[in-house]
């Protein structure tokens, strides 16, 4: 990064070019961990040492999943749509085969993060 050209204001083009630099670096030298980028924002005419309302961390409401597994439960047409996209699907006949056995159903659907009906 070129820190000498930093100004008080960020432009969209500068942010996008810096993001592209980070992505190019990640592709050229893959690592075995997740890279993160931290962004610090300063508000005009606000002193964070005096105004305690501003500051802290933000916790995302849902955990970040890089690979989300989805299952589609539906009629034949919905399952065909899911199958064309490579998504796991269960038709009404497949669901009837579970025969209301709760342990089997839990074991099968534990593999998926989300289920669409």
């Amino acid at each position: 990064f070129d820190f000498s050209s930093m100004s008080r204001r960020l432009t969209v083009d500068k942010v996008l070019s810096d993001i592209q630099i980070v992505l190019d670096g990640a592709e050229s030298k893959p690592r075995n961990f997740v890279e993160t980028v931290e962004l610090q924002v300063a508000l005009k005419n606000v002193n964070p040492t005096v105004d305690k309302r501003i500051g802290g961390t933000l916790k995302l409401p849902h955990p970040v999943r890089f690979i989300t597994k989805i299952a589609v439960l539906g009629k034949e047409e919905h399952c065909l749509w899911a199958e064309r996209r490579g998504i796991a699907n269960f038709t009404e006949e497949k669901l009837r085969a579970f025969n209301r056995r709760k342990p089997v159903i839990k074991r099968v659907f534990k593999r998926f993060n989300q289920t669409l009906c």
Side-chain angles (χ1 to χ4, degrees):
F1 298 109
D2 185 18
F3 292 109
S4 62
S5 67
M6 289 181 67
S7 66
R8 295 199 54 84
R9 294 179 184 243
L10 286 175
T11 62
V12 174
D13 296 330
K14 176 70 174 156
V15 172
L16 291 176
S17 67
D18 288 344
I19 290 172
Q20 191 59 45
I21 290 170
V22 170
L23 291 175
D24 291 341
E27 288 178 5
S28 66
K29 187 177 179 185
R31 294 173 173 89
N32 293 330
F33 58 88
V34 177
E35 295 184 64
T36 60
V37 176
E38 293 184 14
L39 178 66
Q40 191 172 28
V41 178
L43 301 174
K44 273 186 169 181
N45 300 326
V46 175
N47 187 354
T49 58
V50 175
D51 194 357
K52 295 297 180 187
R53 294 177 299 165
I54 301 171
T57 59
L58 173 72
K59 184 176 179 183
L60 297 175
H62 305 288
V64 178
R65 291 189 177 102
F66 296 102
I67 300 173
T68 302
K69 295 180 183 176
I70 300 173
V72 174
L73 311 177
K75 297 185 179 181
E76 195 66 36
E77 61 192 58
H78 301 114
C79 290
L80 289 174
W81 176 87
E83 196 171 304
R84 283 193 298 262
R85 287 159 178 79
I87 300 172
N89 55 69
F90 295 90
T91 60
E92 293 176 38
E93 292 79 29
K94 287 182 186 176
L95 292 173
R96 282 193 195 109
F98 289 132
N99 212 13
R100 295 185 183 174
R101 291 177 290 175
K102 202 171 188 176
V104 175
I105 294 170
K106 280 187 174 183
R107 188 176 65 236
V108 169
F109 286 100
K110 199 174 202 177
R111 301 185 318 224
F112 303 107
N113 301 115
Q114 294 182 353
T115 306
L116 299 175
C117 299

